[in-house]
Each structure stands twice: as structure tokens, then as C-alpha cells.
Amino acid sequence: MKLEKCITEKNVNQNMLNIQYAVRGPILDRAVQIEREIEKGVKKPFERVVRANIGDCHALGQPPITFIRQVLALAACPALMSSPDITDDVKGRVRQILEDCTKGSVGSYSPSNGLNVVRQRVVQYLTARDGVAASPDDIYLGSGASDVIKAVLSLFVQDIDGKPPAVMIPIPQYPLFSGTLSELGLRQANYYLDEEHDWALQVQELERSWREASQDSHVRALVVINPGNPTGQVLTRGNMEDIVNFAYEHQLFIMADEVYQENIISKPFHSFKKVMHEMGAPYSSMELASFVTCSKGWAAECGLRAGFVEAARLQRGVRAALTAARAVAQCPSVLGQCVLDCVMKPPAPGEASYPQFIREKKATQRTLTERASTAYREFNSIPGYSCNTIDGSMFAFPRVELPERAQLAAAELGLKPDEFYCLRLLEETGVCVVPGSGFGQLPGSFHLRTTILHPPDEFQHMMDSIRRFHTTFLNRYS
């Protein structure tokens, strides 16, 4: 009998075939191939690939915070407690964490929603940030924000009155959301940010999206990314009140992706929880899931996978369901929880680690601010490019005008115009960025997303390469 495959494209979970994640998509795959070709001696018109596809801060040169790494080292190897090179406040922090670990080891499981000491630290952080009391019962630690975002979205996988569930997400958006919706079989209801007004979120656009999606779906939740990814904008307080009011009128659960709050350059950050509280009843009683991560901001510990969700004001049975689902996953990384503990309560004035910590933090923030300013200036100086102000200092999402001949050439190859552009950019300069279509964009517009985290020389090399390429591209296709 002929051996047949048990899993085929026809009988595999069809939802998984629809997942797209452009950040690690075909452009990156080709970049990896090119790197291997260069290693084998294949001649290219450039010396190296510049990876600008993902916001991996440490991979792009951002130095780690010493306090965090010392806590991690001692937590993993308590024998280092005797070292005279480690300050007493680091040792004290590690003792607090290990006292909450089974047998004093970070190699043991923690409670499924996280170590109690770390969750209490999160409560203290949120209470101080918002001026609103937080509860440890609302806190679920995760292996990065991605982990708990998927957990919350899973709560909506249920038809209502014969209609499939839908979730409203911004366009452009971080493709974690579209990819997770595809995986879970949830419908995606797009609402477009207003690029002409600094990527503002217009309530009339929310109404349009809700109205159209409601024709054949039951819209359950509204995702808001603030600060924006990939757009980098920060919502105003008034805009947030309009959004909350919209969600209240349509009985929508708000999912607030607030992971870039530590990357804001000059504007004030308002959490949705704080805004809802200050709006008063009935808004202060609305359900909310707010997400924070250690992968961004001054910590930027992407690889250690640490984050949390504050799931506020859930019905008791819903909370029980979420808790049970988290228990199935055992627990998030305990070393990741150590990082979160440091971010929630960094060294304070008067503690031995504080002088070095504050120098390192300010240096990181200063560098990010400078790069955001440079990226804005450089992109807007390239003919055919336009870039809004970058308030959240991680990415640039410039718009680029593509000639009609280039769009036709892309169609002949079965590619989207901005995908074609980014692929040619990679092949001719070695610069790896992500086409805007991977995040969503208004039809007829074209963008690319790039990180702005590279060291100054590397970033300038990248910008010079883009400028030269774009000039050549226009000459070729105009």
C-alpha cells in the first residue's frame, strides 16, 4: 500500500494556511539567501545585507541595561551572590524573586499567570502610571505581548446569533493581529488611519468599518495600537475619549496595544484605562485588555519574551475561562518574568545601581530620539517620499510614489507594487525592509516600514542606499 501523508494542504487546519506575517516573510527569506550567497563568494553590488525588517533593538546595536542583566545572571546562578562586584540592591532584588520561586529556582514552574511578586510589581507600576488602583487578579504575565494578545483574542471565537465574530483592527497594523485572527478563524474588520492628518483615528471611519462588517458578522472587539506600529503616531486625549465612546455605543471590547509607550519622544502618553476612569461612569466600568511588553522601550529584551495583559472588569466566568486557558500553557518564562520585574520597578534614586541605570536609560532614549528625527528628515528629503512625524521612536513608515510602469512590471511578476519595490531595493542595495502591503494601507498608496534602530553610520548607509536606489528606480520606470 502506498504511504500517504497524514496531513496535507487539503486536510490541515485551513485557517493556518491564511496566516501572513510580512515582517518575517518572503523579503527576509531572500535576504537570508543573499547573505549565504555572499558568504560563498557570490559577487553583489553591495558588501552586506542591512536588516531593517524587524524591531530587534539589541540585534541592531542597542546595549542591554546592566541592572537587568545582573539580575538575570544572579537569578540563573545564585552562587554569584557572593561576588563583590554585584551591588546589594541587585542581590536584594534577586532574593525577592527567588523567594517566590519553588525551591528558589528559576528553573521551576511559576503559577500560570506569573510569579506573585512580579504581578504585585505590575500592580504598583500601573497604579502609579494611571492613578487608578489595579488588581493582581487582572494581571496575566506572558511570553511577550504576542502571547497574551492571542490569549485574549481566543475569547471571541464564538458565533453569536448565527453570525461569525469579527474584530476591528487599524490599517496599517502590526500583522500579529491579522495573522492571529486568521489562525483563530476570526473575521478582520479594517478601519483606515488618516495619513493626511498624522495617522489620526477618525470616528467616522470607525463607524464605516463597524457598519460594513456588521452586515454579515458580529463585531466583538476593537483593537487600538497606541503608540502606532508601524506608523509611530500617538493618539490625543480627545481622540481616545471619542474611541471609548464609540466602543461603548457599539458594545465593543477594547484591546489596547500600548507596548510602545516607553518609546514616545515628546508627546504625553495616556493609557486607555486612565482615560476610561477619568471619563467616569459608565465608561469606567467597560471591559479592557491592555498590553505591555519588555521587548521595546529602554529595556528592549526581545529574546527573553516578557510581557503582560491587564484584563480589567471581566465577567467572573470569562476570567475563569482565561485563567484555565493560561493554565494549559503552564507558565511564561521565569527568566522573562525577572526582566519584567526590573522594568516594572527599575533602580530608584539612592540605590547603588541607580547612577549607572539612569545613564544607560537616558543614553538609549537620547539615541532613539535622534534617530527618529534623522529618519523623518532623511525620508522627506527624497523626491517621491513622504513621512509623517515619528512620535514613537522605533519605526518609520514612509509613503513612496511608484510610477505606473513599475506597477505594471510588478503585476507581470505576480507581485504587489511595493513588494516589487522592496525586493528590487534588496537585490540592488542589500537593504531589507518590509513592504507596506504587509501591514495594510489605503488602496492606491504604497509604503515601506523600516526600523530606525541601527547605529548612526549603518543607518546613514541605509538611507544613502535607499536614496540612490530610488533615483535609479525612477529613471528606469518613469
Side-chain angles (χ1 to χ4, degrees):
M1 183 174 69
K2 182 181 178 182
L3 179 65
E4 301 288 345
K5 297 293 185 182
C6 297
I7 303 178
T8 68
E9 289 187 9
K10 291 184 178 180
N11 63 28
V12 72
N13 180 348
Q14 297 298 294
N15 291 332
M16 297 181 71
L17 295 178
N18 297 324
I19 297 173
Q20 296 183 5
Y21 188 64
V23 173
R24 297 183 184 269
I27 303 291
L28 176 62
D29 292 342
R30 178 56 187 148
V32 173
Q33 291 177 351
I34 291 174
E35 287 176 330
R36 291 172 180 165
E37 291 171 3
I38 292 175
E39 290 176 358
K40 294 178 180 179
V42 177
K43 296 297 182 182
K44 300 287 181 182
F46 47 86
E47 296 180 352
R48 63 191 183 281
V49 170
V50 178
R51 294 198 187 192
N53 61 297
I54 195 166
D56 189 347
C57 307
H58 290 170
L60 296 173
Q62 181 172 318
I65 298 294
T66 301
F67 177 78
I68 293 177
R69 292 303 177 90
Q70 288 181 338
V71 168
L72 287 171
L74 262 66
C77 186
L80 295 174
M81 286 284 190
S82 60
S83 172
D85 298 324
I86 306 297
T87 58
D88 288 341
D89 59 331
V90 172
K91 294 176 181 178
R93 178 66 64 90
V94 172
R95 290 191 186 99
Q96 291 176 345
I97 295 171
L98 294 182
E99 284 174 2
D100 205 27
C101 295
T102 304
K103 298 296 183 181
S105 173
V106 293
S108 59
Y109 284 129
S110 78
S112 57
N113 53 356
L115 292 167
N116 293 326
V117 64
V118 183
R119 289 165 61 227
Q120 287 292 347
R121 214 76 93 186
V122 173
V123 166
Q124 294 165 8
Y125 167 85
L126 292 174
T127 301
R129 184 194 69 180
D130 299 331
V132 185
S135 168
D137 294 336
D138 294 339
I139 307 302
Y140 296 84
L141 308 191
S143 298
S146 306
D147 174 30
V148 282
I149 286 172
K150 181 178 180 179
V152 173
L153 283 173
S154 297
L155 296 172
F156 301 103
V157 184
Q158 177 64 45
D159 288 5
I160 296 180
D161 299 329
K163 282 188 173 183
V167 175
M168 295 177 62
I169 66 171
I171 297 298
Q173 53 99 29
Y174 180 47
L176 160 70
F177 288 101
S178 56
T180 304
L181 293 179
S182 294
E183 182 180 356
L184 296 175
L186 292 164
R187 294 196 176 184
Q188 175 179 321
N190 298 335
Y191 65 87
Y192 291 96
L193 302 178
D194 186 353
E195 184 174 9
E196 302 304 318
H197 295 88
D198 293 325
W199 299 110
L201 200 168
Q202 308 289 7
V203 172
Q204 59 266 35
E205 173 60 13
L206 291 177
E207 292 284 0
R208 179 207 61 79
S209 174
W210 180 87
R211 186 171 56 254
E212 292 183 4
S214 296
Q215 293 178 8
D216 57 4
S217 305
H218 193 102
V219 184
R220 304 289 307 279
L222 169 66
V223 171
V224 183
I225 306 176
N226 181 48
N229 178 12
T231 51
Q233 90 287 4
V234 177
L235 297 177
T236 66
R237 170 62 186 266
N239 202 180
M240 294 175 71
E241 290 184 2
D242 292 339
I243 294 164
V244 170
N245 188 61
F246 167 83
Y248 174 77
E249 290 180 354
H250 295 290
Q251 294 184 297
L252 300 178
F253 186 105
I254 294 179
M255 294 181 63
D257 178 342
E258 300 176 323
V259 304
Y260 289 96
Q261 58 189 266
E262 292 288 343
N263 287 97
I264 297 176
I265 295 170
S266 58
K267 292 185 177 180
F269 170 75
H270 304 285
S271 73
F272 268 90
K273 182 184 178 183
K274 180 179 181 179
V275 170
M276 294 162 80
H277 173 78
E278 294 181 351
M279 289 174 70
Y283 308 105
S284 56
S285 298
M286 293 171 62
E287 298 142 296
L288 169 73
S290 171
F291 305 93
V292 175
T293 183
C294 296
S295 296
K296 309 306 175 188
W298 51 264
E301 293 285 3
C302 302
L304 286 162
R305 311 307 302 135
F308 70 86
V309 60
E310 181 184 21
R313 299 180 287 275
L314 297 185
Q315 189 183 70
R316 181 179 300 177
V318 175
R319 183 183 307 285
L322 179 59
T323 301
R326 298 304 293 165
V328 171
Q330 297 294 356
C331 73
S333 162
V334 178
L335 281 177
Q337 294 181 54
C338 293
V339 174
L340 183 59
D341 189 86
C342 296
V343 173
M344 295 294 97
K345 189 178 185 301
E351 294 181 336
S353 296
Y354 180 78
Q356 182 176 12
F357 164 75
I358 201 65
R359 283 197 306 271
E360 293 174 345
K361 178 182 177 181
K362 287 184 175 180
T364 294
Q365 292 175 327
R366 183 169 57 251
T367 299
L368 292 175
T369 299
E370 291 170 354
R371 290 177 190 170
S373 176
T374 300
Y376 171 77
R377 182 180 65 252
E378 290 281 340
F379 276 118
N380 282 308
S381 70
I382 301 175
Y385 269 78
S386 61
C387 183
N388 282 329
T389 302
I390 303 168
D391 295 318
S393 57
M394 282 282 289
F395 304 106
F397 194 67
R399 182 170 179 166
V400 55
E401 300 297 329
L402 299 183
E404 185 175 350
R405 284 184 60 196
Q407 297 179 44
L408 293 173
E412 292 175 359
L413 296 173
L415 298 173
K416 297 173 182 176
D418 53 0
E419 185 180 14
F420 172 72
Y421 181 87
C422 291
L423 186 59
R424 295 314 315 158
L425 174 66
L426 172 64
E427 295 285 357
E428 296 179 29
T429 70
V431 174
C432 176
V433 297
V434 188
S437 53
F439 302 89
Q441 55 197 351
L442 193 68
S445 68
F446 307 109
H447 301 78
L448 60 85
R449 191 194 79 164
T450 176
T451 60
I452 57 174
L453 299 169
H454 301 80
D457 290 347
E458 185 81 338
F459 185 72
Q460 192 61 55
H461 163 74
M462 181 178 76
M463 292 305 307
D464 291 343
S465 298
I466 292 174
R467 184 186 302 276
R468 288 194 302 270
F469 166 78
H470 189 65
T471 299
T472 303
F473 189 87
L474 290 180
N475 291 335
R476 184 182 304 157
Y477 292 105
S478 292

PDB file of all heavy atoms in Angstrom, residues 181-203:
ATOM      1  N   LEU A 181      -5.805  36.599  13.903  1.00  0.00           N
ATOM      2  CA  LEU A 181      -7.211  36.486  13.519  1.00  0.00           C
ATOM      3  C   LEU A 181      -7.405  35.367  12.498  1.00  0.00           C
ATOM      4  O   LEU A 181      -8.363  34.587  12.587  1.00  0.00           O
ATOM      5  CB  LEU A 181      -7.712  37.815  12.945  1.00  0.00           C
ATOM      6  CG  LEU A 181      -7.797  38.997  13.918  1.00  0.00           C
ATOM      7  CD1 LEU A 181      -8.286  40.247  13.190  1.00  0.00           C
ATOM      8  CD2 LEU A 181      -8.707  38.689  15.096  1.00  0.00           C
ATOM      9  N   SER A 182      -6.488  35.277  11.529  1.00  0.00           N
ATOM     10  CA  SER A 182      -6.568  34.197  10.539  1.00  0.00           C
ATOM     11  C   SER A 182      -6.449  32.835  11.207  1.00  0.00           C
ATOM     12  O   SER A 182      -7.212  31.909  10.914  1.00  0.00           O
ATOM     13  CB  SER A 182      -5.468  34.364   9.483  1.00  0.00           C
ATOM     14  OG  SER A 182      -5.658  35.527   8.717  1.00  0.00           O
ATOM     15  N   GLU A 183      -5.491  32.711  12.102  1.00  0.00           N
ATOM     16  CA  GLU A 183      -5.267  31.427  12.776  1.00  0.00           C
ATOM     17  C   GLU A 183      -6.484  30.997  13.588  1.00  0.00           C
ATOM     18  O   GLU A 183      -6.824  29.813  13.632  1.00  0.00           O
ATOM     19  CB  GLU A 183      -4.042  31.534  13.682  1.00  0.00           C
ATOM     20  CG  GLU A 183      -3.702  30.233  14.393  1.00  0.00           C
ATOM     21  CD  GLU A 183      -2.482  30.354  15.281  1.00  0.00           C
ATOM     22  OE1 GLU A 183      -1.844  31.434  15.281  1.00  0.00           O
ATOM     23  OE2 GLU A 183      -2.166  29.378  15.981  1.00  0.00           O
ATOM     24  N   LEU A 184      -7.125  31.956  14.234  1.00  0.00           N
ATOM     25  CA  LEU A 184      -8.267  31.637  15.095  1.00  0.00           C
ATOM     26  C   LEU A 184      -9.585  31.556  14.328  1.00  0.00           C
ATOM     27  O   LEU A 184     -10.611  31.173  14.890  1.00  0.00           O
ATOM     28  CB  LEU A 184      -8.386  32.683  16.203  1.00  0.00           C
ATOM     29  CG  LEU A 184      -7.222  32.757  17.190  1.00  0.00           C
ATOM     30  CD1 LEU A 184      -7.417  33.924  18.151  1.00  0.00           C
ATOM     31  CD2 LEU A 184      -7.082  31.446  17.968  1.00  0.00           C
ATOM     32  N   GLY A 185      -9.571  31.935  13.052  1.00  0.00           N
ATOM     33  CA  GLY A 185     -10.803  31.906  12.273  1.00  0.00           C
ATOM     34  C   GLY A 185     -11.719  33.075  12.561  1.00  0.00           C
ATOM     35  O   GLY A 185     -12.920  33.005  12.286  1.00  0.00           O
ATOM     36  N   LEU A 186     -11.158  34.169  13.097  1.00  0.00           N
ATOM     37  CA  LEU A 186     -11.931  35.383  13.365  1.00  0.00           C
ATOM     38  C   LEU A 186     -11.890  36.301  12.141  1.00  0.00           C
ATOM     39  O   LEU A 186     -10.865  36.392  11.468  1.00  0.00           O
ATOM     40  CB  LEU A 186     -11.371  36.125  14.572  1.00  0.00           C
ATOM     41  CG  LEU A 186     -11.538  35.441  15.927  1.00  0.00           C
ATOM     42  CD1 LEU A 186     -10.608  36.076  16.964  1.00  0.00           C
ATOM     43  CD2 LEU A 186     -12.978  35.507  16.398  1.00  0.00           C
ATOM     44  N   ARG A 187     -12.981  36.977  11.880  1.00  0.00           N
ATOM     45  CA  ARG A 187     -13.019  37.889  10.741  1.00  0.00           C
ATOM     46  C   ARG A 187     -12.320  39.200  11.084  1.00  0.00           C
ATOM     47  O   ARG A 187     -12.365  39.657  12.215  1.00  0.00           O
ATOM     48  CB  ARG A 187     -14.463  38.141  10.300  1.00  0.00           C
ATOM     49  CG  ARG A 187     -15.135  36.893   9.729  1.00  0.00           C
ATOM     50  CD  ARG A 187     -16.377  37.235   8.956  1.00  0.00           C
ATOM     51  NE  ARG A 187     -16.956  36.048   8.332  1.00  0.00           N
ATOM     52  CZ  ARG A 187     -18.013  36.070   7.529  1.00  0.00           C
ATOM     53  NH1 ARG A 187     -18.614  37.229   7.265  1.00  0.00           N
ATOM     54  NH2 ARG A 187     -18.478  34.961   6.995  1.00  0.00           N
ATOM     55  N   GLN A 188     -11.722  39.801  10.073  1.00  0.00           N
ATOM     56  CA  GLN A 188     -10.964  41.034  10.234  1.00  0.00           C
ATOM     57  C   GLN A 188     -11.754  42.189   9.642  1.00  0.00           C
ATOM     58  O   GLN A 188     -12.065  42.197   8.453  1.00  0.00           O
ATOM     59  CB  GLN A 188      -9.615  40.882   9.526  1.00  0.00           C
ATOM     60  CG  GLN A 188      -8.752  42.122   9.495  1.00  0.00           C
ATOM     61  CD  GLN A 188      -7.436  41.856   8.792  1.00  0.00           C
ATOM     62  OE1 GLN A 188      -6.837  40.798   8.934  1.00  0.00           O
ATOM     63  NE2 GLN A 188      -6.969  42.838   8.024  1.00  0.00           N
ATOM     64  N   ALA A 189     -12.081  43.168  10.491  1.00  0.00           N
ATOM     65  CA  ALA A 189     -12.782  44.373  10.027  1.00  0.00           C
ATOM     66  C   ALA A 189     -11.796  45.532  10.051  1.00  0.00           C
ATOM     67  O   ALA A 189     -11.378  45.970  11.125  1.00  0.00           O
ATOM     68  CB  ALA A 189     -13.988  44.656  10.916  1.00  0.00           C
ATOM     69  N   ASN A 190     -11.405  46.007   8.890  1.00  0.00           N
ATOM     70  CA  ASN A 190     -10.380  47.044   8.790  1.00  0.00           C
ATOM     71  C   ASN A 190     -10.958  48.438   8.975  1.00  0.00           C
ATOM     72  O   ASN A 190     -12.009  48.757   8.427  1.00  0.00           O
ATOM     73  CB  ASN A 190      -9.694  46.987   7.425  1.00  0.00           C
ATOM     74  CG  ASN A 190      -8.971  45.680   7.181  1.00  0.00           C
ATOM     75  OD1 ASN A 190      -8.574  44.994   8.111  1.00  0.00           O
ATOM     76  ND2 ASN A 190      -8.795  45.329   5.919  1.00  0.00           N
ATOM     77  N   TYR A 191     -10.261  49.267   9.727  1.00  0.00           N
ATOM     78  CA  TYR A 191     -10.526  50.702   9.690  1.00  0.00           C
ATOM     79  C   TYR A 191      -9.210  51.403   9.371  1.00  0.00           C
ATOM     80  O   TYR A 191      -8.150  51.027   9.859  1.00  0.00           O
ATOM     81  CB  TYR A 191     -11.146  51.212  10.997  1.00  0.00           C
ATOM     82  CG  TYR A 191     -10.283  51.123  12.238  1.00  0.00           C
ATOM     83  CD1 TYR A 191      -9.388  52.148  12.580  1.00  0.00           C
ATOM     84  CD2 TYR A 191     -10.374  50.031  13.093  1.00  0.00           C
ATOM     85  CE1 TYR A 191      -8.614  52.075  13.724  1.00  0.00           C
ATOM     86  CE2 TYR A 191      -9.595  49.947  14.246  1.00  0.00           C
ATOM     87  CZ  TYR A 191      -8.730  50.974  14.560  1.00  0.00           C
ATOM     88  OH  TYR A 191      -7.948  50.893  15.699  1.00  0.00           O
ATOM     89  N   TYR A 192      -9.275  52.417   8.499  1.00  0.00           N
ATOM     90  CA  TYR A 192      -8.073  53.063   7.981  1.00  0.00           C
ATOM     91  C   TYR A 192      -7.704  54.291   8.811  1.00  0.00           C
ATOM     92  O   TYR A 192      -8.549  55.137   9.103  1.00  0.00           O
ATOM     93  CB  TYR A 192      -8.272  53.467   6.522  1.00  0.00           C
ATOM     94  CG  TYR A 192      -8.361  52.297   5.582  1.00  0.00           C
ATOM     95  CD1 TYR A 192      -9.605  51.779   5.198  1.00  0.00           C
ATOM     96  CD2 TYR A 192      -7.214  51.680   5.088  1.00  0.00           C
ATOM     97  CE1 TYR A 192      -9.694  50.685   4.346  1.00  0.00           C
ATOM     98  CE2 TYR A 192      -7.296  50.597   4.233  1.00  0.00           C
ATOM     99  CZ  TYR A 192      -8.541  50.102   3.863  1.00  0.00           C
ATOM    100  OH  TYR A 192      -8.612  49.022   3.027  1.00  0.00           O
ATOM    101  N   LEU A 193      -6.424  54.364   9.183  1.00  0.00           N
ATOM    102  CA  LEU A 193      -5.907  55.567   9.824  1.00  0.00           C
ATOM    103  C   LEU A 193      -5.729  56.657   8.777  1.00  0.00           C
ATOM    104  O   LEU A 193      -5.485  56.368   7.599  1.00  0.00           O
ATOM    105  CB  LEU A 193      -4.573  55.259  10.514  1.00  0.00           C
ATOM    106  CG  LEU A 193      -4.615  54.154  11.578  1.00  0.00           C
ATOM    107  CD1 LEU A 193      -3.220  53.925  12.149  1.00  0.00           C
ATOM    108  CD2 LEU A 193      -5.601  54.488  12.686  1.00  0.00           C
ATOM    109  N   ASP A 194      -5.848  57.895   9.205  1.00  0.00           N
ATOM    110  CA  ASP A 194      -5.825  59.043   8.291  1.00  0.00           C
ATOM    111  C   ASP A 194      -4.396  59.569   8.143  1.00  0.00           C
ATOM    112  O   ASP A 194      -3.918  60.352   8.956  1.00  0.00           O
ATOM    113  CB  ASP A 194      -6.753  60.132   8.846  1.00  0.00           C
ATOM    114  CG  ASP A 194      -6.909  61.310   7.889  1.00  0.00           C
ATOM    115  OD1 ASP A 194      -6.194  61.341   6.858  1.00  0.00           O
ATOM    116  OD2 ASP A 194      -7.737  62.195   8.173  1.00  0.00           O
ATOM    117  N   GLU A 195      -3.725  59.136   7.085  1.00  0.00           N
ATOM    118  CA  GLU A 195      -2.327  59.521   6.876  1.00  0.00           C
ATOM    119  C   GLU A 195      -2.179  61.019   6.663  1.00  0.00           C
ATOM    120  O   GLU A 195      -1.170  61.610   7.066  1.00  0.00           O
ATOM    121  CB  GLU A 195      -1.760  58.759   5.674  1.00  0.00           C
ATOM    122  CG  GLU A 195      -0.285  59.012   5.435  1.00  0.00           C
ATOM    123  CD  GLU A 195       0.303  58.147   4.344  1.00  0.00           C
ATOM    124  OE1 GLU A 195      -0.473  57.461   3.634  1.00  0.00           O
ATOM    125  OE2 GLU A 195       1.545  58.138   4.194  1.00  0.00           O
ATOM    126  N   GLU A 196      -3.179  61.633   6.037  1.00  0.00           N
ATOM    127  CA  GLU A 196      -3.089  63.067   5.746  1.00  0.00           C
ATOM    128  C   GLU A 196      -3.127  63.917   7.013  1.00  0.00           C
ATOM    129  O   GLU A 196      -2.773  65.091   6.991  1.00  0.00           O
ATOM    130  CB  GLU A 196      -4.229  63.480   4.807  1.00  0.00           C
ATOM    131  CG  GLU A 196      -4.252  62.723   3.489  1.00  0.00           C
ATOM    132  CD  GLU A 196      -2.935  62.830   2.728  1.00  0.00           C
ATOM    133  OE1 GLU A 196      -2.367  63.950   2.703  1.00  0.00           O
ATOM    134  OE2 GLU A 196      -2.480  61.807   2.174  1.00  0.00           O
ATOM    135  N   HIS A 197      -3.576  63.340   8.109  1.00  0.00           N
ATOM    136  CA  HIS A 197      -3.632  64.054   9.386  1.00  0.00           C
ATOM    137  C   HIS A 197      -2.836  63.293  10.446  1.00  0.00           C
ATOM    138  O   HIS A 197      -3.333  62.958  11.525  1.00  0.00           O
ATOM    139  CB  HIS A 197      -5.087  64.251   9.827  1.00  0.00           C
ATOM    140  CG  HIS A 197      -5.874  65.137   8.921  1.00  0.00           C
ATOM    141  ND1 HIS A 197      -6.545  64.664   7.811  1.00  0.00           N
ATOM    142  CD2 HIS A 197      -6.070  66.490   8.930  1.00  0.00           C
ATOM    143  CE1 HIS A 197      -7.135  65.677   7.190  1.00  0.00           C
ATOM    144  NE2 HIS A 197      -6.855  66.791   7.846  1.00  0.00           N
ATOM    145  N   ASP A 198      -1.579  62.974  10.098  1.00  0.00           N
ATOM    146  CA  ASP A 198      -0.647  62.328  11.026  1.00  0.00           C
ATOM    147  C   ASP A 198      -1.182  61.013  11.584  1.00  0.00           C
ATOM    148  O   ASP A 198      -1.040  60.720  12.767  1.00  0.00           O
ATOM    149  CB  ASP A 198      -0.285  63.275  12.177  1.00  0.00           C
ATOM    150  CG  ASP A 198       0.534  64.460  11.689  1.00  0.00           C
ATOM    151  OD1 ASP A 198       1.353  64.276  10.757  1.00  0.00           O
ATOM    152  OD2 ASP A 198       0.353  65.563  12.226  1.00  0.00           O
ATOM    153  N   TRP A 199      -1.813  60.232  10.708  1.00  0.00           N
ATOM    154  CA  TRP A 199      -2.322  58.905  11.067  1.00  0.00           C
ATOM    155  C   TRP A 199      -3.371  58.971  12.183  1.00  0.00           C
ATOM    156  O   TRP A 199      -3.433  58.115  13.057  1.00  0.00           O
ATOM    157  CB  TRP A 199      -1.191  57.969  11.473  1.00  0.00           C
ATOM    158  CG  TRP A 199      -0.181  57.716  10.402  1.00  0.00           C
ATOM    159  CD1 TRP A 199       1.109  58.151  10.376  1.00  0.00           C
ATOM    160  CD2 TRP A 199      -0.368  56.976   9.185  1.00  0.00           C
ATOM    161  NE1 TRP A 199       1.735  57.724   9.231  1.00  0.00           N
ATOM    162  CE2 TRP A 199       0.853  56.997   8.483  1.00  0.00           C
ATOM    163  CE3 TRP A 199      -1.452  56.293   8.635  1.00  0.00           C
ATOM    164  CZ2 TRP A 199       1.029  56.369   7.251  1.00  0.00           C
ATOM    165  CZ3 TRP A 199      -1.277  55.661   7.403  1.00  0.00           C
ATOM    166  CH2 TRP A 199      -0.051  55.702   6.731  1.00  0.00           C
ATOM    167  N   ALA A 200      -4.187  59.986  12.148  1.00  0.00           N
ATOM    168  CA  ALA A 200      -5.242  60.123  13.154  1.00  0.00           C
ATOM    169  C   ALA A 200      -6.273  59.002  12.993  1.00  0.00           C
ATOM    170  O   ALA A 200      -6.453  58.433  11.911  1.00  0.00           O
ATOM    171  CB  ALA A 200      -5.929  61.481  13.021  1.00  0.00           C
ATOM    172  N   LEU A 201      -6.959  58.697  14.071  1.00  0.00           N
ATOM    173  CA  LEU A 201      -8.016  57.685  14.068  1.00  0.00           C
ATOM    174  C   LEU A 201      -9.355  58.432  14.081  1.00  0.00           C
ATOM    175  O   LEU A 201      -9.746  58.994  15.106  1.00  0.00           O
ATOM    176  CB  LEU A 201      -7.883  56.785  15.299  1.00  0.00           C
ATOM    177  CG  LEU A 201      -8.568  55.422  15.271  1.00  0.00           C
ATOM    178  CD1 LEU A 201      -8.083  54.563  16.427  1.00  0.00           C
ATOM    179  CD2 LEU A 201     -10.066  55.550  15.326  1.00  0.00           C
ATOM    180  N   GLN A 202     -10.022  58.455  12.948  1.00  0.00           N
ATOM    181  CA  GLN A 202     -11.257  59.221  12.798  1.00  0.00           C
ATOM    182  C   GLN A 202     -12.471  58.357  13.154  1.00  0.00           C
ATOM    183  O   GLN A 202     -12.612  57.237  12.656  1.00  0.00           O
ATOM    184  CB  GLN A 202     -11.402  59.740  11.366  1.00  0.00           C
ATOM    185  CG  GLN A 202     -10.190  60.494  10.838  1.00  0.00           C
ATOM    186  CD  GLN A 202     -10.000  61.862  11.505  1.00  0.00           C
ATOM    187  OE1 GLN A 202     -10.698  62.204  12.454  1.00  0.00           O
ATOM    188  NE2 GLN A 202      -9.046  62.644  11.020  1.00  0.00           N
ATOM    189  N   VAL A 203     -13.353  58.905  13.989  1.00  0.00           N
ATOM    190  CA  VAL A 203     -14.510  58.134  14.448  1.00  0.00           C
ATOM    191  C   VAL A 203     -15.435  57.787  13.287  1.00  0.00           C
ATOM    192  O   VAL A 203     -16.023  56.685  13.259  1.00  0.00           O
ATOM    193  CB  VAL A 203     -15.273  58.911  15.542  1.00  0.00           C
ATOM    194  CG1 VAL A 203     -16.584  58.200  15.893  1.00  0.00           C
ATOM    195  CG2 VAL A 203     -14.422  59.040  16.786  1.00  0.00           C
TER     196      VAL A 203
END
